[in-house]
Each structure stands twice: as structure tokens, then as C-alpha cells.
Amino acid sequence: MGQAVLESITYSAVCQDCGAQLECCGVQALVDGSLRWDVEVTCSVCGFAMAVCDDVLPSDLRDQLLCEHGAAWLRVTSPWGKSIAIIRVLRAELGLDLTEAMTALDRVLAGEFSGTLPEMELLARKLRSAGVSAVAARP
């Protein structure tokens, strides 16, 4: 399946038990062919502890992840004759309709398709499985 790819952030939240300020640690990871968003937190005031696994990455925290780590870009190095395969992967993985997938294809081929490193590595692996030479990289 490939090596795990991950990025982490820390952020503040309020303890649901006592209202104290918490420091949370969140990790987006590509593990065994799927994306995960895991969060762990323990309140130093009241002892409340929580771990959330396999949850969806909230958009504001995704934005923070991109801000702190920078975007990764999906690079397709052998696109000739592979447009249909790329469109199929984009539709399957991103839940796009055909029109949206065509727009995304144009962005991929132009080297303008980006996201978090785990997100782009997942797409690169799916594309490689479909016979398209692809990598996820930062500039």
C-alpha cells in the first residue's frame, strides 16, 4: 500500500467539561490507501481526554494545515493518452461529476491541482494504479 504520509497541526479549543483552553493535536494521514483525520486532547485542568479517529478533516483546520505546511501539487508526468484514466480517478476519489472532473483534469495537466500532502499523495497513488505516472510534491 505504500508508506504512511502525514502532516500535523496544533490548535486551541475549549474543554467541553470545564471550559478551560485546550491545546489539540491533529494529524491528517494517508494510511493503507485512505485518508484519516485523528485528534487527541487531554485537559490539564479537569482531566477530560478525547481521541477522534477516522473523522473528516474540518475545512478551517485543513486551511491551517495548508498554511503551516504549504500546498502539495499533483504532477502527472505522462499524461498523453491517459486523460480518461485521470478523469476516472478524479471522479472516483473526489466525487466529481463529469463536468467538474474535466475542469479538474485541465488543472492537473496544467500543474495547478493542489491540496495537502496526504490528499495529493492519495491521488498520485490512485493514478499510478491506473497506469498514469504521477507524483505529489512541494515546489
Side-chain angles (χ1 to χ4, degrees):
M1 281 282 175
Q3 185 175 2
V5 176
L6 56 95
E7 293 183 325
S8 64
I9 56 171
T10 57
Y11 60 95
S12 297
V14 175
C15 178
Q16 67 185 35
D17 279 3
C18 73
Q21 194 71 15
L22 301 173
E23 185 171 288
C24 304
C25 179
V27 177
Q28 185 187 41
L30 172 58
V31 180
D32 295 332
S34 63
L35 291 172
R36 299 172 49 113
W37 172 246
D38 299 339
V39 177
E40 290 185 11
V41 63
T42 302
C43 181
S44 61
V45 175
C46 71
F48 170 79
M50 177 179 70
V52 178
C53 302
D54 294 329
D55 205 3
V56 175
L57 173 60
S59 62
D60 61 327
L61 297 178
R62 181 180 184 273
D63 291 344
Q64 182 181 344
L65 220 124
L66 287 167
C67 184
E68 288 185 20
H69 294 279
W73 301 87
L74 182 62
R75 304 280 185 224
V76 176
T77 57
S78 64
W80 302 278
K82 302 289 186 175
S83 294
I84 299 300
I86 296 169
I87 289 171
R88 283 185 183 141
V89 169
L90 293 172
R91 290 189 73 189
E93 294 304 312
L94 302 176
L96 304 177
D97 66 27
L98 185 56
T99 302
E100 293 167 330
M102 295 294 290
T103 301
L105 171 67
D106 291 341
R107 290 181 55 219
V108 169
L109 295 178
E112 299 171 351
F113 198 87
S114 66
T116 66
L117 183 60
E119 291 167 349
M120 294 303 100
E121 180 60 29
L122 174 63
L123 287 175
R125 289 179 186 182
K126 296 290 184 173
L127 286 168
R128 289 192 298 267
S129 292
V132 178
S133 179
V135 296
R138 290 209 168 90

